[in-house]
Each structure stands twice: as structure tokens, then as C-alpha cells.
Amino acid sequence: MVSRGETLYSIAWRYGWDFKDLAAVNGIRSPYNIYPGQRLKLYGQPVVAAKPAPKRVPSSSRTVQKKPQKVAVRPVAKPARKPSISARNKNDINWRWPVKGPLLADFRSNDPLRKGVDIGGKKGESVQAAADGTVIYAGSALRGYGKLLIIKHSEEFLSAYAHNHKLLVGEGTAVKAGQRIAELGSSGTDRNMLHFEIRRNGQPVDPMAYLP
């Protein structure tokens, strides 16, 4: 059930869903508006609107038989191989470090508490956007993340910036790589640091595979 302050993006983030899949399963269209008290399914298949039945065409008294036309059959092209992560990274998104500081904790794919990396720093230091994008969540409704920003970079990639002292941009803001978006802090944790995540199609991936 949707609580006040939650968005489709934040709920998808919490449960490890791709926001597009969550929207499709619940029949929600762009711009993906939801409201407090609304129930969302976290299972099932995308809701597809039923197509209208084709109109019946009255039969004519005269039936004209047409000769079957020859159709040229072209060979089906094999699907192109997907480029590697490094290739996609270089061609699509130019990632950069969101803050300068020591790496306190690395990514662990099998640890639900290590879905990203923790970077140390001093309270009030600048947190910068890791790439161009649009802010799709700004708030503190996700337990364990403190004051959180989520940026959408493409239909495939999102990034998150958690435990901030202060958020400097709001939802819907277009940001550029390197732009100051928050102040580093300790909201939701016991020390000053930035928890940084990258998600690809809703799934956490190791930021170290993308950052320069």
C-alpha cells in the first residue's frame, strides 16, 4: 500500500523492480502518478488493454477470386550481439564519481545491505550528479537511506545518493554531470558518508564497474 511521500520509482527501488515493469503490472501509464492508500501488485504480468473487436464487413453478392500474390521471403537477420558493459558505458553514459573521499564499503551482490558503495567525507561536502539525468525522487520515505535522491539517466540506468545532510534539487529537476545536488551527511546512518548505487533495469550493479 502506497504511503505518503512514496513514488512509483521509490517503491520499485525498494523492492528491486524496474519501474517500467512495476508500472506495466499495475496498468499505470507515464507520468506514473500514484496516491497514498493505493494498492500495488508486486507480482503478475503486464496489464494490456483489450483490443477492440474488428468490424464485420457485409458480404457482397458477387465474389471475386483474386490470384494469390507471390511474396518474397527475406532471410531473418540474426540479432546483433549486445555490447559489453564497458562499451555501453562509454557510448551511452559518461559516469563520474559523485564525491571525493575514501571508499568505506564496496558492493556485494549477495548482501542486501551492500547494494552500492559507501564513500566517506565531511558533513556539508558537495555531492555531485554522477551523470546527466532527471531527478525522479527526492525525500526520506525509504527506510535506511536517510535523505535520498534518485536520478534517472536513461530507460535502463538509475543512480541513488543516500544519507545526505541536505537535498539541493527536487523531483523533476534536470541535472548535469558534476552538478551539486546535495550536501554530504549522516541521515539514516551513524557517520558522515555517501551511499551511492547504480541500478540497471531495476537491479543493483557494482558502481566500480562503471565509475572511472
Side-chain angles (χ1 to χ4, degrees):
M1 183 177 291
V2 179
S3 300
R4 186 177 300 277
E6 290 184 316
T7 67
L8 184 85
Y9 298 101
S10 67
I11 294 173
W13 191 275
R14 174 184 296 164
Y15 293 102
W17 277 64
D18 184 345
F19 70 91
K20 299 185 297 295
D21 293 339
L22 182 60
V25 165
N26 289 278
I28 301 173
R29 296 182 179 180
S30 179
Y32 310 122
N33 294 324
I34 58 177
Y35 54 86
Q38 181 179 357
R39 290 184 177 274
L40 298 181
K41 295 190 300 180
L42 295 172
Y43 60 88
Q45 299 296 323
V47 177
V48 180
K51 294 182 179 180
K55 295 181 181 179
R56 296 184 62 184
V57 180
S59 58
S60 174
S61 57
R62 293 182 60 189
T63 302
V64 180
Q65 294 184 352
K66 296 182 178 181
K67 294 182 179 180
Q69 297 180 348
K70 293 183 179 180
V71 180
V73 179
R74 298 181 179 179
V76 179
K78 294 182 179 180
R81 294 181 61 184
K82 293 184 178 180
S84 64
I85 288 179
S86 59
R88 293 184 64 85
N89 177 34
K90 291 179 180 178
N91 295 333
D92 298 342
I93 300 175
N94 294 317
W95 297 96
R96 58 182 294 162
W97 285 84
V99 69
K100 294 181 180 180
L103 190 65
L104 304 177
D106 55 5
F107 172 85
R108 299 282 178 85
S109 59
N110 57 350
D111 188 342
L113 300 178
R114 304 279 285 275
K115 295 179 180 179
V117 294
D118 294 340
I119 308 171
K122 296 180 180 180
K123 182 178 179 179
E125 280 190 79
S126 294
V127 175
Q128 302 175 348
D132 296 351
T134 302
V135 178
I136 57 173
Y137 179 80
S140 54
L142 271 74
R143 183 177 300 175
Y145 283 91
K147 294 181 180 179
L148 171 70
L149 287 174
I150 300 177
I151 296 178
K152 177 183 176 183
H153 304 287
S154 67
E155 291 301 310
E156 189 175 7
F157 285 99
L158 306 177
S159 64
Y161 312 75
H163 305 311
N164 298 289
H165 169 63
K166 185 178 181 180
L167 305 181
L168 304 179
V169 291
E171 293 176 12
T173 303
V175 296
K176 293 292 185 181
Q179 179 178 335
R180 190 167 183 253
I181 56 175
E183 293 179 2
L184 190 143
S186 59
S187 61
T189 187
D190 57 358
R191 65 177 300 175
N192 291 318
M193 67 177 188
L194 175 72
H195 176 74
F196 176 69
E197 295 185 20
I198 295 177
R199 296 205 181 183
R200 184 181 185 187
N201 294 324
Q203 297 302 309
V205 294
D206 187 356
M208 301 299 286
Y210 296 85
L211 294 173

